[in-house]
Amino acid sequence: MGNIGSGLSTLLNRLSWTIKAGLQFGGKRNLYATFGYKTELTFQDFIIKYVRQGIATRIINAPVISTWNPLPKAIGPEDLVTSWNTFAQKQQIWGIITRTDKLAGLGRYATILIGYNDILKVADLNKPVKYNAELKVLYMQPYSEAASVISEFVTDPTDPRFGLPLYYDIKLIDPKVSARVDYIPTQLIGSTAEKVHWSRIVHISEGVLEDQIFGIPRLMPIYNDLDDLLKVAGGSAEIFWLNARSGMQIDVDKDMELDVTDAADLQDEIEEYQHELRRVIRTKGVKINNLGANVADPTGTVDVILNLIAANTGIPKAVLIGMPMGQLASTQDRANYATLIENRRTDFAEPCMLVPLIQALQYSGVLPKGIMSWTWKSAFRLSPLEEGQTRAQMARSAVNLQKALNGGGMKGGGAPAFITPQEARAIIGFPMNPSDKPDKPFGV
């Protein structure tokens, strides 16, 4: 089985490592069981976290949004770039790419089903795509790992795609089910599977290790931390709710006897007081003592958990949770996050998403042959205040450079300038040729 056997063995080993992760002292102590952590995580666990826990949503969405905004610019042969730009606009490709990126982060991989006009019925999806320059794309649909299960691998060791997927079972969602209020995305209730040939699929995986098929879900390394955050936040809220109104101790005078009716009336008044239906309790021979309450401050614990999540994801805490009103994340935090995004663009977005998509469309004949590369704008962005300060500094620099060009900075004046106009324009970030249309100042 070659790579296939190796891939399955690797998967089983990963599961084994996950199960053993919480064991200590030869298995006598199980930290995962003690802390209430799950030992085996599935795609459904990740999608539920994404849907129900806001910080998990942020961890999945934030890198995707930052990676693809602003969009990259295609560079390559004119006919290829023109065809791509037209195709991208017609198919709304960037929206499909960002959706697929999120799904790939939730699972070990995601796929894009390309619907060509070479089939007459759904069953024809299992046929290979044949090259045809007249072929058209009717639709493109992202699918999660749960909705596009690999059903068969290439087993021929002489095939260049040996060990890679041959067929997928694409599970089509029943619209009647997906319209339900209680429906969870990728729940797949009432879905039917259709066999699809690999040539109609773009396979996207992030964080791959030994193979290029299965990546590591983005929430897996921090799943325990997300559980801990839920415990602390939910537990603190519950304790606050229980202790917001302190308990009462009813002290009945030893010489006082309450008959059944008096006891019932007292109980009614206490319950009405507790439920804010009355503000006073009438008593006779009864003393009511306030038990008091202490509410623990979870701030320190939450901060530790957020630091762990930030360290694992690479997203600075100030970027992950935002800053209080009127404050900005530090320049260093934003610079670190920008570095993370730029690395993600070069290591994943371009080689693992854009290139396979372009190659699939060229394989079918939708796009002409050729090699296309991409240019990305800087992921580091200045705030409006910082941009204004930068422009002001540029203006001061321009004034000083103008003095230097005129020789005004030298004693006695009229002396030759020690800097050329081209050098001055380069320093403040303007085109070397004054006749060119000026760009934004450097760093803006």
Side-chain angles (χ1 to χ4, degrees):
M1 295 293 286
N3 292 344
I4 303 173
S6 174
L8 293 176
S9 175
T10 299
L11 176 58
L12 292 175
N13 286 337
R14 288 177 186 171
L15 290 175
S16 176
W17 296 339
T18 302
I19 293 172
K20 295 179 180 178
L23 299 182
Q24 290 185 333
F25 300 103
K28 294 180 180 179
R29 176 186 296 173
N30 189 332
L31 296 181
Y32 276 32
T34 302
F35 302 149
Y37 298 148
K38 295 192 67 174
T39 54
E40 296 184 37
L41 299 174
T42 66
F43 179 83
Q44 295 298 331
D45 294 317
F46 300 132
I47 192 68
I48 290 173
K49 282 287 186 189
Y50 176 78
V51 173
R52 294 297 301 271
Q53 194 168 356
I55 193 167
T57 310
R58 174 73 173 164
I59 291 167
I60 294 294
N61 289 352
V64 175
I65 295 171
S66 300
T67 297
W68 302 103
N69 182 25
L71 296 173
K73 181 180 179 181
I75 298 177
E78 184 177 354
D79 60 335
L80 175 57
V81 172
T82 301
S83 297
W84 163 255
N85 289 336
T86 302
F87 175 85
Q89 183 177 14
K90 181 178 180 180
Q91 294 294 333
Q92 298 294 306
I93 193 65
W94 298 113
I96 294 172
I97 285 176
T98 54
R99 288 161 58 195
T100 308
D101 195 351
K102 294 176 184 178
L103 290 172
L106 283 168
R108 295 175 298 167
Y109 65 86
T111 61
I112 301 176
L113 172 63
I114 305 177
Y116 298 103
N117 64 342
D118 64 337
I119 62 174
L120 298 176
K121 55 184 181 298
V122 174
D124 292 338
L125 289 172
N126 65 357
K127 297 178 180 178
V129 175
K130 296 181 179 180
Y131 180 86
N132 183 354
E134 301 299 322
L135 204 61
K136 304 295 182 183
V137 173
L138 301 178
Y139 57 87
M140 300 181 73
Q141 175 62 46
Y143 285 98
S144 68
E145 173 190 356
S148 54
V149 179
I150 300 173
S151 60
E152 190 175 340
F153 291 84
V154 177
T155 57
D156 181 2
T158 65
D159 192 313
R161 300 193 74 260
F162 174 59
L164 297 178
L166 177 61
Y167 289 104
Y168 294 80
D169 284 340
I170 300 294
K171 299 180 181 179
L172 307 178
I173 304 297
D174 184 347
K176 295 180 181 178
V177 175
S178 60
R180 285 170 26 186
V181 176
D182 61 343
Y183 171 73
I184 297 177
T186 72
Q187 195 170 10
L188 307 179
I189 297 176
S191 61
T192 57
E194 297 293 340
K195 191 174 184 179
V196 182
H197 191 261
W198 70 265
S199 59
R200 302 178 184 276
I201 295 287
V202 180
H203 186 104
I204 307 296
S205 53
E206 184 179 12
V208 295
L209 293 175
E210 292 182 349
D211 57 59
Q212 53 185 317
I213 304 172
F214 300 108
I216 298 177
R218 204 175 303 155
L219 296 182
M220 179 173 281
I222 58 168
Y223 196 90
N224 293 350
D225 299 323
L226 292 173
D227 272 355
D228 286 343
L229 187 61
L230 202 59
K231 293 176 193 174
V232 175
S236 299
E238 181 67 13
I239 291 173
F240 179 85
W241 170 257
L242 293 174
N243 291 341
R245 172 165 291 177
S246 57
M248 294 184 295
Q249 184 258 331
I250 310 299
D251 187 6
V252 181
D253 190 276
K254 63 180 180 179
D255 297 325
M256 178 70 178
E257 292 186 6
L258 293 177
D259 59 26
V260 176
T261 302
D262 292 335
D265 291 341
L266 178 61
Q267 180 65 29
D268 289 341
E269 292 204 10
I270 291 174
E271 289 185 0
E272 289 176 1
Y273 180 83
Q274 286 289 90
H275 295 299
E276 299 183 357
L277 299 179
R278 67 165 62 235
R279 298 303 303 154
V280 295
I281 300 177
R282 296 170 296 180
T283 63
K284 181 179 180 182
V286 175
K287 183 179 180 181
I288 298 178
N289 301 311
N290 191 324
L291 294 179
N294 293 319
V295 180
D297 183 2
T299 304
T301 307
V302 169
D303 195 56
V304 170
I305 297 172
L306 290 176
N307 284 334
L308 291 173
I309 292 175
N312 273 296
T313 60
I315 304 175
K317 187 171 67 174
V319 176
L320 183 64
I321 63 175
M323 297 295 290
M325 187 176 297
Q327 298 183 31
L328 294 173
S330 70
T331 302
Q332 186 60 54
D333 281 341
R334 287 184 289 141
N336 291 340
Y337 184 60
T339 300
L340 171 73
I341 295 303
E342 290 175 353
N343 289 338
R344 189 173 190 271
R345 289 171 174 175
T346 56
D347 297 340
F348 169 70
E350 185 169 344
C352 300
M353 291 200 72
L354 293 176
V355 170
L357 176 58
I358 298 297
Q359 290 176 342
L361 296 172
Q362 290 177 329
Y363 179 87
S364 62
V366 172
L367 293 181
K369 300 294 183 179
I371 298 177
M372 193 158 60
S373 59
W374 309 85
T375 59
W376 306 77
K377 290 187 177 181
S378 173
F380 185 82
R381 301 181 187 180
L382 298 176
S383 68
L385 176 60
E386 292 169 329
E387 187 172 329
Q389 292 172 338
T390 300
R391 291 183 181 276
Q393 183 60 45
M394 289 294 181
R396 288 192 293 269
S397 298
V399 171
N400 294 333
L401 287 170
Q402 186 62 46
K403 291 180 180 179
L405 288 172
N406 296 334
M410 293 188 176
K411 192 172 182 179
F418 66 93
I419 188 171
T420 66
Q422 288 77 12
E423 291 172 332
R425 298 181 69 85
I427 290 174
I428 61 176
F430 277 80
M432 295 294 287
N433 185 355
S435 63
D436 293 340
K437 184 179 179 180
D439 294 326
K440 284 187 175 181
F442 177 77
V444 177

